[in-house]
Amino acid sequence: MSEGTAGAGPVSADASAAASDSGAALEPVIGLEIHVQLATATKMFCGCELSFGQPPNTRTCPVCLGLPGSLPVANERAVHFGLMIGLALGSQLAPRSIFHRKNYFYPDLPKGYQISQYDEPLCLGGRLGEVRIHRVHLEEDAAKLIHVGESGRIHGSDTSVVDFNRGGTPLAEIVTEPDLRSPEQASEWLRLLRATLRQLGVSDVNMEEGSLRCDANISLRPAGSEELGVKTELKNMNSFRFIERGIRAEIERQREIIESGDTVVQETLHFDPTTRSAGGGAGAITSLRSKEQAHDYRYFPEPDLLPVAIDEAMRQAAREAMSELPAQRAERYRRELKLSADSAQLLAFRSELGDYFEAAHAAHADPSPPAQALANWISGDLAARLGDGEDPAASRVQAPALAALVGLVAAKRVSVGAGRQVLDKLVAEGGEDPAAIVEAQGLASLGGEDELGAIVAAALAANADAAERVRAGNEKAIGPIVGAVMRETKGRADGTEVTRLVHEQLGI
Amino acid sequence: MLDLSASAAIAEIEAGDLSAAELFAFYRRRAAEHGGDVEGGGLNCLTWVAEGVADASDGPLAGVPLAVKDLFCTKGVPSQSGSHILQGYRPPYTATAVKRLETAGATLLAKANQDEFAMGSSNENSAFGPALNPWDRGRVPGGSSGGSAAAVAAGLAPWALGTDTGGSIRQPAAMCGIVGLKPTYGAISRYGMIAFASSLDQAGPLTRDVTDAALLLKHMIGRDRCDATSLQFPQEIERPRAERLDGVRLGVPAELQNPGADFAGAEVEPSVRAAFDRALALAQELGASVQEVHLPHAAHALSAYYILSSSEASSNLARFDGVRYGVRATDSTGLLDMYTRTRHDGFGAEVKRRIMLGTYALSSGYYDAYYGRAQRVRTKIAEDFRTAFADVDLIVTPTSANVAFALGEKTADPWSMYLSDFFTVPMSLAGIPAISIPCGLSESSDAVGPHGGGLPVGLQIAGPAFSENRLLDAAHALEQAIGFPEGRARV
Amino acid sequence: MIERDEVLHVARLARLALSDEEIEPMARELSAVLDHVAKIGELSLDDVAPTLHVVEVTGALRPDEPRPSLPREVAFEQAPEVGDEGFLVPSPQA
Ligand SMILES: [Mg+2]
Ligand SMILES: [Zn+2]
């Protein structure tokens, strides 16, 4: 639920109308609200251990069942993790933070209120990448409600079953400002956030299992406008793919409404990827609006909890617990290893590639590979062979072996093409010594200049016409000559060296 | 045995002159015989009485039996806070305050009647029906801890545990002629007390004398890791021994004495006034000085109190939804119908009124005018007390403007009932300790009990936060001097 | 005076059914109490901070240490309707 201002500030009824009048291009404005289950040992306000697939209703106590007379006591480590998230996002850590009660009735909410934070959240403001953070606050998760249909047990109505194992799990809710402009940008940024949270070690950040959940606030406005249009809140997007698809579908839905001259209604929507939309695309968007939605949460300060005073010791403990974050890692790769900005970001934000890169770099292969070449091989050839998202550490290719291979290529002892053949073999079979593979397959670059020189001379003689055109200045004509050399050497020759020798022998 | 205070009984048990089992059997029989419903000739002050004999108990409380207000959760023992919605509810755990007393050697004798969810000042808002005042069975025992007060006054339990949100220990103690103490907010853990208003609820003793109150308090106080608002009390609670009040400066608040036209109905009844003035004169004879103090916002305390307590209650009582415990409305047509009928049928009229008031006060557009403002009034009231305590050591008032009133007398007009707490609510809002001790019997003709000589009048003494030892000492000195005929209501 | 519609709105927020005969008395009683408590509106409280907690205390966080949960049969013992694994409620979707 939106406590923040993400998605839209004061709703402007005119923004959409103006857009349809002028026919100006419409720009999506997207803000995200992310709920992160914190990886504490116990729940937010009681000593029950968090549930990981335990039998239903076996992780409960008087507090998380909301039994009469029970009282909440806040988990110290959840506050600590909240502060770490705040530091990672560059937020201001509140000197004092208070819990509120958010009152509403639902079977998954045992007390009739959720303990959350309202006007004094733990962290305020901040930024991650190009997106500003509005706030970060702590709250408790709801229980799990499973609809079972007509069970016959409860007379005259369909039945749901409540499992309170999840109820009370600590959550950090991260609310962004409406700084995102496309579905792709939203999912890309969420990947960065996930990498950041994983690096912090504060959550399992598993979208499929629900430890990272994302809602999006979406509105459209005429490109260039500063005003915000009417926003809708899109819930239930439990994978990166669904986030892109859901946001895209909602943008299209709003675009059609505005272009037909109607007005978008502010409401909460549900994205169901398993169904088809009216337009035939995958994933239908349905409104959660019903007569029950007239929410009035009656927030007031939780009298059972004291304000949390964030003292210097707590801030210091959070700082000390922080490991290097993706943004810092990218900066280190640029500064210390002189990687290009793109390579640095890619390795840092996909931390499994970054970790592998560092392992390879630390292997001290001889000849040693330049860092940039290593980065290119990992993010290019290796990643492409392993397939989307696979962690190279889990493949057969050992990081020191890859480092050795890249070292050989960089030292021109193996050509790029031959190097790729060696990599194929490493991916398929593993192995510790790429030099041995080079040896066994006869893939070594041709040793002396004399040997290669003779082959080049023979190729020039066999392709006299092409040689003449190259001499006349037509560089493209060099192809058949180089091709002949490569055929003769079975790809072991270094292409650059071949070109150099062709030029040399032609006297240009 | 009936004449022994709890402390005296402990002394006899420790001396070997009395056995704990004997004492328990004695009170168990009395509780079962006189604590039950009115048709059976009882006072309807006890809702459950232990069966059989208690186990022998070690510890400083020597096995002395204890009555506990229904709203304290007691493991496996009915705990329904005087409400129909929790009919038959047996909690899986015991409240910290009760557990501490049991650890110190007290044995659970009975659960005591109360106003539903502690909302009321007469014990008439109970699903069990009203408890009767042992001084005059046509009158209320006060509330909400009416059952606890009646049981102690009638000699059905040596002592009892109650809770006080706006006067719910002090006012029934006054009306039943016993001692009732509301400690500093946070002194006793609230864990296991079925909540009424979290920022105000406090457990406390209802006892025959001040010494017993100190002893019960001593074994309940202290930080509890299950209650974030509980405190480490800065000292031990001592046995009060003072006989004199030399040098003690007592303040009488002008605003509570003369509440003004807005609070018609809170004027102190002449017979109460007379008993209060006699107590002040006695205090001066014991060496105290008496002066007027000002609590400029105290007359607004009742308004702030009803907004805050009802708001918190509306939220605290949301958990009674028929899902995990309690009585569920049958044959519902769906979730909403189940919720609304469960709560309609389960809650009594006064509870519903407060839930409605609190929901309204917190709802969109009204928060600032009601809840927000009431919390500011609360700040001013706490400041008023701090200022006053710069000039005096303790503040004294009548506990209640009147003696026990007739059953049914105030049920038609909620506000007239609320005015019963006019003198006790300011201390609750400020979170400070206050004790009520009997200061004599009324003498006016309309308030004469069947025993003759009138009905009990209570004197309230309040002090700064954590001044319990000083408060108990002063109360002890006055109690000795007053010489209240405490045994007269015993059945 | 609180209007009938307002009483019904508040009752709905509080999930309290009110019969037709209960609405008017509820409106009257609430109005009477609100008339009394509205007097605090006359006080000048502009610079006064609201009380958050009446006694100042700190350090009330709990160490992240597990404590035993209730056996399921104990959790279920007082429930009006339970199935094999959970508390049963009328479905909110119905
Ligand atoms: Mg939330
Ligand atoms: Zn729990």
Side-chain angles (χ1 to χ4, degrees), chain A residues 31-262:
Chain A
L32 301 179
E33 282 179 27
I34 301 100
H35 285 91
V36 184
Q37 284 185 344
L38 299 178
T40 49
T42 65
K43 293 185 178 182
M44 185 68 219
F45 297 113
C46 67
C48 289
E49 289 183 73
L50 301 191
S51 174
F52 298 94
Q54 271 72 25
N57 290 300
T58 56
R59 292 272 164 101
T60 72
C61 72
V63 177
C64 60
L65 282 176
L67 296 193
S70 66
L71 296 170
V73 185
N75 185 332
E76 187 175 53
R77 200 189 315 267
V79 174
H80 173 70
F81 282 172
L83 294 175
M84 286 172 66
I85 293 173
L87 287 174
L89 301 181
S91 306
Q92 265 189 327
L93 307 185
R96 178 186 87 159
S97 183
I98 60 181
F99 288 100
H100 272 66
R101 290 187 185 178
K102 178 179 181 178
N103 294 282
Y104 64 98
F105 286 84
Y106 212 68
D108 64 10
L109 200 63
K111 302 186 293 298
Y113 53 85
Q114 180 196 31
I115 304 177
S116 183
Q117 298 196 285
Y118 186 54
D119 54 7
E120 292 190 33
L122 193 62
C123 317
L124 264 178
R127 170 183 290 279
L128 179 66
E130 64 226 314
V131 175
R132 289 169 301 151
I133 303 297
H134 179 64
R135 57 185 276 157
V136 181
H137 73 246
L138 298 176
E139 60 186 30
E140 53 179 343
D141 207 347
K144 210 178 266 173
L145 189 64
I146 306 127
H147 184 72
V148 294
E150 176 65 67
S151 73
R153 285 197 208 249
I154 294 183
H155 178 81
S157 57
D158 276 10
T159 303
S160 294
V161 178
V162 201
D163 169 12
F164 287 97
N165 279 1
R166 190 183 72 180
T169 298
L171 293 178
E173 179 173 326
I174 300 168
V175 183
T176 77
E177 297 291 351
D179 288 350
L180 294 155
R181 293 292 175 268
S182 73
E184 297 75 19
Q185 193 195 5
S187 81
E188 199 46 46
W189 183 82
L190 194 60
R191 279 178 204 278
L192 167 59
L193 178 68
R194 186 178 63 160
T196 304
L197 296 170
R198 175 181 290 150
Q199 189 69 40
L200 288 174
V202 298
S203 171
D204 299 339
V205 286
N206 185 322
M207 290 197 84
E208 281 69 28
E209 287 171 15
S211 55
L212 179 73
R213 307 197 290 267
C214 182
D215 303 336
N217 291 297
I218 301 160
S219 64
L220 296 185
R221 67 181 176 195
S225 166
E226 289 298 307
E227 273 187 83
L228 292 163
V230 179
K231 70 168 176 180
T232 56
E233 187 179 14
L234 191 57
K235 292 192 166 285
N236 190 42
M237 296 177 294
N238 55 5
S239 79
F240 287 102
R241 214 152 51 94
F242 293 162
I243 283 167
E244 277 189 45
R245 276 164 51 185
I247 294 176
R248 192 175 300 125
E250 174 56 11
I251 289 172
E252 283 321 304
R253 194 189 68 89
Q254 289 191 17
R255 193 187 302 279
E256 280 168 31
I257 291 171
I258 294 168
E259 285 173 353
S260 68
D262 285 341

